Amino acid sequence: MLTTTPYLTIRRPSPTTAEFTLTTCPPLSLPLRAALFGVLCLRFIAVLSVIIGIYSAFFSPTGLLPPLIFPSGRISFLDFDLNNFLLHILHLLSISRPGQFLASLAISLPPYAVLALSALTSYIALFARIHTTESLLVLRGLGIQMSSSVGGGNFFRLGGGTFMKRTRFIPTEKIQDILINEAFKGFEVRYYLVIVVEGEQDVVVCFPRLLPRRRIVEKVWRGARGCLYEKDGPVLSAGAGGGGGSHGGNGAWRGGSGNGKGG
């Protein structure tokens, strides 16, 4: 429900621009928004639990009352103390029933175990990915921009944000060719789109995380070459997704021939 097999969408804002997006994020329906909102709440609860655990294990003043939010005793904005306010909230959370359980657990563990569990929980809560999205933006006369992002969707669309995004732009004068290469992964032949860049020993692999099936690779290859080299070249409509994969294996590289496909 939260993810799907990689599928391709094509956007053509102008005859000289084409964007090919491959993603594992399903269309944002109401049930998916609710599920992603639940994931976002779980991330927040996990981070809050880490804060309570660390506060109880290292900073909680046992047997003492929490600091006053208004030190002078008068409710005034000028007398408001933000540090005391945060400590007061932490104290109230730590004396709640869930907070008492977390506090007793944190106090019973050695300090290094508390720090290790806190670091692991924080990493999973903040950086665990749900969706992977990769795009290829072709601009005739300018070049090709490749983007890759992982995360849980867009925060304002109840997804949890994009955690990591990488972008690379290759100018047209550096692009020697766009090819379809093939490699062996076990007993399976995998096809992937590559860009031959002038001055670089290795080719640049497009969609390196998802590595779509041959049908999608060929569709992107035709559309990218048509937009980059041919005048008003056609860009085919997007098709259904194919299965993704992981790059690796004992694949042997095969050079591209004149028609743009690996030999």
Side-chain angles (χ1 to χ4, degrees):
M1 181 179 180
L2 293 177
T3 185
T4 185
T5 53
Y7 64 95
L8 177 69
T9 57
I10 299 176
R11 192 169 65 93
R12 189 78 188 264
S14 69
T16 60
T17 305
E19 183 178 30
F20 307 88
T21 302
L22 196 66
T23 182
T24 59
C25 179
L28 286 175
S29 59
L30 184 59
L32 179 60
R33 290 175 186 268
L36 292 177
F37 180 73
V39 172
L40 183 62
C41 292
L42 290 177
R43 294 181 190 271
F44 177 77
I45 293 174
V47 174
L48 188 61
S49 301
V50 168
I51 296 175
I52 295 175
I54 292 179
Y55 172 77
S56 302
F58 298 101
F59 304 103
S60 178
T62 305
L64 298 179
L65 294 176
L68 296 175
I69 301 177
F70 301 97
S72 65
R74 297 177 302 173
I75 300 178
S76 172
F77 178 77
L78 297 177
D79 196 37
F80 178 79
D81 192 310
L82 179 60
N83 292 332
N84 288 354
F85 174 76
L86 295 177
L87 290 175
H88 194 90
I89 295 298
L90 281 175
H91 178 80
L92 293 179
L93 291 174
S94 63
I95 63 176
S96 64
R97 183 168 297 180
Q100 289 178 353
F101 171 76
L102 291 173
S104 60
L105 180 62
I107 295 173
S108 64
L109 294 175
Y112 68 87
V114 174
L115 293 177
L117 287 175
S118 299
L120 179 61
T121 304
S122 299
Y123 179 82
I124 295 175
L126 295 175
F127 299 105
R129 70 177 187 178
I130 300 177
H131 306 138
T132 300
T133 300
E134 295 181 301
S135 64
L136 192 73
L137 178 62
V138 183
L139 304 168
R140 184 184 302 168
L142 294 177
I144 295 178
Q145 176 176 290
M146 297 182 299
S147 300
S148 177
S149 62
V150 296
N154 187 278
F155 180 82
F156 296 102
R157 297 165 74 181
L158 304 182
T162 297
F163 306 129
M164 293 180 291
K165 185 173 183 178
R166 297 179 180 178
T167 302
R168 180 181 179 182
F169 181 78
I170 305 175
T172 303
E173 58 269 17
K174 293 287 186 179
I175 300 175
Q176 293 185 339
D177 207 346
I178 305 176
L179 308 172
I180 296 178
N181 255 342
E182 58 185 19
F184 290 100
K185 181 185 177 183
F187 296 100
E188 183 183 10
V189 179
R190 299 302 301 267
Y191 297 88
Y192 51 96
L193 190 68
V194 299
I195 301 175
V196 182
V197 181
E198 181 182 357
E200 296 189 14
Q201 184 177 1
D202 297 327
V203 295
V204 179
V205 180
C206 304
F207 311 115
R209 292 180 179 271
L210 297 177
L211 289 177
R213 296 294 182 180
R214 178 177 178 176
R215 182 163 56 90
I216 295 180
V217 172
E218 290 180 347
K219 184 171 295 186
V220 176
W221 172 74
R222 294 191 185 97
R225 290 183 62 91
C227 180
L228 193 64
Y229 298 121
E230 300 174 12
K231 184 177 181 181
D232 296 339
V235 174
L236 303 180
S237 59
S246 59
H247 188 220
N250 57 351
W253 291 83
R254 299 188 179 184
S257 60
N259 61 359
K261 294 187 180 182

